[in-house]
Amino acid sequence: MATHSTEHRRSPYLSSRLQGFGTTIFAEMSALAVATGSVNLGQGFPDTDGPSEVLEAAGAAIRSGHNQYPPGRGVPELLRAVAHHQAHWYGLDLDPDREILITAGATEAVAAAMLALCEVGDEVVMFEPYYDSYGACVAMAGAGRRVVTLRPPDWSFDPGALAAAITPRTRLVLLNTPHNPTGKVFGRDELECIASLCVERDLVAVTDEVYEHLVFEGEHVPLATLPGMRERTLSISSAGKTFSVTGWKIGWVSGPEPLVDAVRTAKQFLTYVNGAPLQPAVAAGLGLADGMLRALADDLRAKRDLLSDGLATLGLEVFRPAATYFVMTDIRALGYDDGISFCRDLPGRCGVVAIPAVVFYDDKAAGRSLVRWAFCKQDEALHEALRRLDGLHP
Ligand SMILES: Cc1ncc(COP(=O)(O)O)c(C=O)c1O
């Protein structure tokens, strides 16, 4: 995970490409949570299990012998389920035998896409704050990143800055919507702006849509559905958030055959295949009624409101998210101007852990006073966190 902002020990063995990446702040906050008995609102995973149908299907798959290497592209029922999902939710027509690949989570999909599509010296355009694996994956591919900043309160971007970030070296645009850590759902007008630049400059788009079903307001629109984008977009998603099984690491890539084939070549030498018994279980999940997925979003919306309202009552500036697991806040009203100091103090002061959002930024000034809180936790944990935070009033 990117930790440009925090001091940490360097391994003399770490390649120069990965200098500046490491696990420091997340590891530090998790260790602090354990040491202080804190409520951990730092990490983005739910503390309840997903749908029983999905869990039981995994158990049944293990018991019925789905325990050896699955086919390289993925098990046929999951490939078909992903194709059906894309058609059903978004009207995207995909050939399950040629235009879909199952990966070890969205994380491997992003890594394999960068390794497959970028030449050394190419550039990748992305928005910040950005999910922490992006910087490292681009670096591992030997590429560089050009970053466009999303600004609160609505996390909008300057279209001129996006156009200016695209250079003759730009290979692709890496877009995350719905967006971690801001909870932004990119609007159609914003997507049209991105799409028109991709078409005009002949760029590939790689989209990370892992929060596609955790939307509370607005509508998730896959970039691939915009005119001219189907043929140049690799869409990535995964089961982790949709079915509350973040430890399973079953993801998928879909898009035009040449792009998917390129990613498949990289994946072949990363993990080759993954999750044989989990793949049919995720296929079963994708076959669940739409209402099951909407119920999860409804449940999370209530948690978002619970935590956002509580944090606002404490005096924090809250940027209520339209989607995802996370709410962003500005902590300056509490007498801090630095999220790292705030998050380091918080476990000792109150017994709560959050993440300083500056770790998701290249522009440290833009992220300095922002803190991310996860609300994908049981209501009791959220109530307890707010009770503990009550002492924070300035
Ligand atoms: C934006 C984003 N992409 C990808 C992932 C990881 O997905 P997976 O667990 O499927 O690798 C996460 C998890 O937090 C995320 O927030």
Side-chain angles (χ1 to χ4, degrees), residues 254-383:
S254 62
E257 185 175 1
L259 288 175
V260 172
D261 272 353
V263 178
R264 188 181 171 194
T265 303
K267 186 212 159 59
Q268 189 180 344
F269 302 110
L270 291 170
T271 53
Y272 172 47
V273 290
N274 60 285
L278 305 178
Q279 291 195 29
V282 171
L286 290 174
L288 290 173
D290 296 359
M292 293 279 293
L293 302 186
R294 296 210 173 95
L296 177 63
D298 288 344
D299 187 43
L300 269 171
R301 181 187 294 107
K303 292 177 187 298
R304 173 203 64 175
D305 290 340
L306 171 60
L307 188 62
S308 302
D309 292 347
L311 294 173
T313 306
L314 293 169
L316 289 153
E317 186 179 1
V318 173
F319 306 110
R320 192 176 294 255
T324 76
Y325 283 164
F326 307 108
V327 54
M328 286 272 264
T329 58
D330 192 308
I331 43 91
R332 278 175 291 190
L334 295 183
Y336 284 84
D337 70 349
D338 169 13
I340 291 184
S341 312
F342 175 82
C343 289
R344 283 192 173 135
D345 286 356
L346 201 58
R349 281 185 66 188
C350 305
V352 177
V353 160
I355 294 292
V358 72
V359 299
F360 305 116
Y361 283 85
D362 286 357
D363 176 356
K364 298 304 173 197
R368 185 173 163 82
S369 60
L370 298 169
V371 168
R372 187 193 81 174
W373 314 74
F375 52 79
C376 49
K377 307 292 175 186
Q378 294 184 46
D379 287 359
E380 302 79 69
L382 299 176
H383 282 299

Side-chain angles (χ1 to χ4, degrees), residues 44 104-108 110 131 133-134 176 178-180 208 210-211 237-241 246 249-251 326:
T107 308
E108 186 196 38
V110 170
Y131 179 58
S133 81
Y134 295 176
N176 171 214
H179 183 259
N180 173 12
D208 176 344
V210 298
Y211 297 100
S237 192
S238 83
K241 321 290 172 186
T246 59
K249 301 298 273 191
I250 301 292
F326 307 108

Side-chain angles (χ1 to χ4, degrees), residues 127 150 154-157 162 175-179 182-196 215 217-223 225-226 322-323:
F127 294 93
L150 301 171
D154 57 355
W155 308 106
S156 56
F157 64 89
L162 178 61
L175 173 72
N176 171 214
T177 182
H179 183 259
T182 65
K184 174 188 176 73
V185 179
F186 280 70
R188 195 172 281 278
D189 51 337
E190 294 172 313
L191 296 171
E192 276 165 3
C193 166
I194 298 165
S196 70
V215 175
E217 266 111 43
E219 183 198 3
H220 168 59
V221 178
L223 191 63
T225 61
L226 271 70

Side-chain angles (χ1 to χ4, degrees), residues 165-184:
I166 298 170
T167 76
R169 307 221 67 141
T170 307
R171 175 74 178 120
L172 60 91
V173 175
L174 174 55
L175 173 72
N176 171 214
T177 182
H179 183 259
N180 173 12
T182 65
K184 174 188 176 73

